[in-house]
């Protein structure tokens, strides 16, 4: 069952969002990674949300640049959590996408992450934490991953210190 859907507004966003898919895969979370556009394929976007939600999808992650309406379009069609990753696709350095993603009307929130790959990774981690509210084995995987992060810092410190 697809637990998380990753939507990108354009195929050019694939490289930015691949780390999101990788983290979900490492955690064993079934997910869909596809392209759909709030503007160019609004019917596809609506159909995907409806179909995926009916099949048990719990979290939607949306990445888009410039006007970045994809996350908002999805939030308008579901009561499930929607996470937005702004993509740097314009001369404004992604700030246009960040503001478009974070400034949603009351009642239609989009949890907005950092611009580009850092946001992509954290969107996956946040989606995992949301799912872990009702999945103890996933919670343990997240705990183990965090322990691994701490161990890598300790190792780096030992190697650096003279």
């Amino acid at each position: 069952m697809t637990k998380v859907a990753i939507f990108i507004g354009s195929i050019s966003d694939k490289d930015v969002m691949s780390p999101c898919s990788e983290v979900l895969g490492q955690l064993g979370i079934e997910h869909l990674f596809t392209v759909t556009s709030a503007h160019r394929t609004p019917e596809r976007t609506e159909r995907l949300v409806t179909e995926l939600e009916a099949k048990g999808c719990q979290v939607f992650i949306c990445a888009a640049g410039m006007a970045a309406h994809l996350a908002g379009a999805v939030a308008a069609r579901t009561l499930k959590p929607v996470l937005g990753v702004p993509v740097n696709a314009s001369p404004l350095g992604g700030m246009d996408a960040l503001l478009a993603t974070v400034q949603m009307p009351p009642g239609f929130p989009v949890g907005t992450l950092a611009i580009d790959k850092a946001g992509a990774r954290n969107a996956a981690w946040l989606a995992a934490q949301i799912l872990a509210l009702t999945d103890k084995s996933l919670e343990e995987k997240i705990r183990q991953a965090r322990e691994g992060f701490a161990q890598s810092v300790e190792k780096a410190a030992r190697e650096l210190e003279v």
Side-chain angles (χ1 to χ4, degrees), residues 26-100:
Q26 290 164 0
L27 291 170
I29 298 171
E30 290 188 41
H31 62 283
L32 172 71
F33 187 12
T34 192
V35 180
T36 190
S37 170
H39 302 111
R40 294 181 298 271
T41 60
E43 295 85 7
R44 173 178 165 72
T45 301
E46 184 171 12
R47 180 177 46 79
L48 282 169
V49 171
T50 301
E51 288 175 359
L52 287 164
E53 194 173 83
K55 292 177 182 176
C57 186
Q58 294 296 304
V59 181
F60 292 89
I61 299 172
C62 302
M66 302 175 79
H69 291 140
L70 183 56
V74 171
R77 288 168 175 79
T78 185
L79 299 179
K80 302 298 183 191
V82 177
L83 308 178
V85 179
V87 175
N88 180 3
S90 79
L92 298 175
M95 291 303 295
D96 49 345
L98 174 65
L99 293 173

Side-chain angles (χ1 to χ4, degrees), residues 23 26-27 29 124-126 128-152:
V23 169
Q26 290 164 0
L27 291 170
I29 298 171
W125 287 109
L126 184 54
Q129 287 179 277
I130 291 167
L131 295 173
L133 290 170
T134 58
D135 183 337
K136 293 298 179 189
S137 66
L138 181 55
E139 181 180 0
E140 183 55 33
K141 288 179 185 179
I142 295 168
R143 185 180 327 285
Q144 290 174 2
R146 287 195 175 183
E147 289 172 7
F149 297 152
Q151 290 170 3
S152 68

